[in-house]
Amino acid sequence: MKKEETISEYHSKLINIVNQMHRNGEKFEDVRIIEKTLRSLTPNFEYVVTTVEESKDLETMTIKELLGSLRVHELHIRKHDDITL
């Protein structure tokens, strides 16, 4: 993930890559996509990544659930940045 990318932009890019790989015969479980997503986020999401990894069962978590959590955190970051500017 690039520092200036939003979660939605990054998620779209990631899903496009996953879809291309599916078309080429690769099979991915949601948990693998979730793990890759968590590892590739910017440092701004570090504490959310830790929270998700420690408190959620990644085997049963959906990509939509992860995306929702990350969007909430992103909105919190933006709100905080607007206040401090």
Side-chain angles (χ1 to χ4, degrees):
M1 180 177 186
K2 295 177 184 173
K3 189 172 184 171
E4 65 277 358
E5 275 183 308
T6 66
I7 287 296
S8 294
E9 292 168 339
Y10 180 65
H11 176 71
S12 293
K13 186 168 63 174
L14 182 67
I15 293 304
N16 284 335
I17 292 168
V18 168
N19 287 339
Q20 288 174 1
M21 295 180 85
H22 278 290
R23 284 191 296 272
N24 291 322
E26 287 285 331
K27 301 283 186 214
F28 288 104
E29 300 290 327
D30 280 359
V31 68
R32 187 168 175 203
I33 298 167
I34 289 169
E35 290 170 344
K36 296 274 186 194
T37 301
L38 291 173
R39 278 188 241 123
S40 61
L41 295 172
T42 62
N44 288 344
F45 292 90
E46 188 174 332
Y47 90 84
V48 172
V49 170
T50 302
T51 301
V52 167
E53 289 178 337
E54 290 182 356
S55 67
K56 303 284 186 178
D57 180 5
L58 298 183
E59 295 288 333
T60 59
M61 183 178 218
T62 66
I63 295 170
K64 278 187 171 184
E65 289 173 328
L66 175 63
L67 186 60
S69 295
L70 295 175
R71 282 183 177 160
V72 167
H73 179 69
E74 181 178 60
L75 289 172
H76 178 73
I77 290 171
R78 287 185 177 179
K79 181 179 175 185
H80 183 272
D81 286 349
D82 288 344
I83 291 171
T84 59
L85 294 175

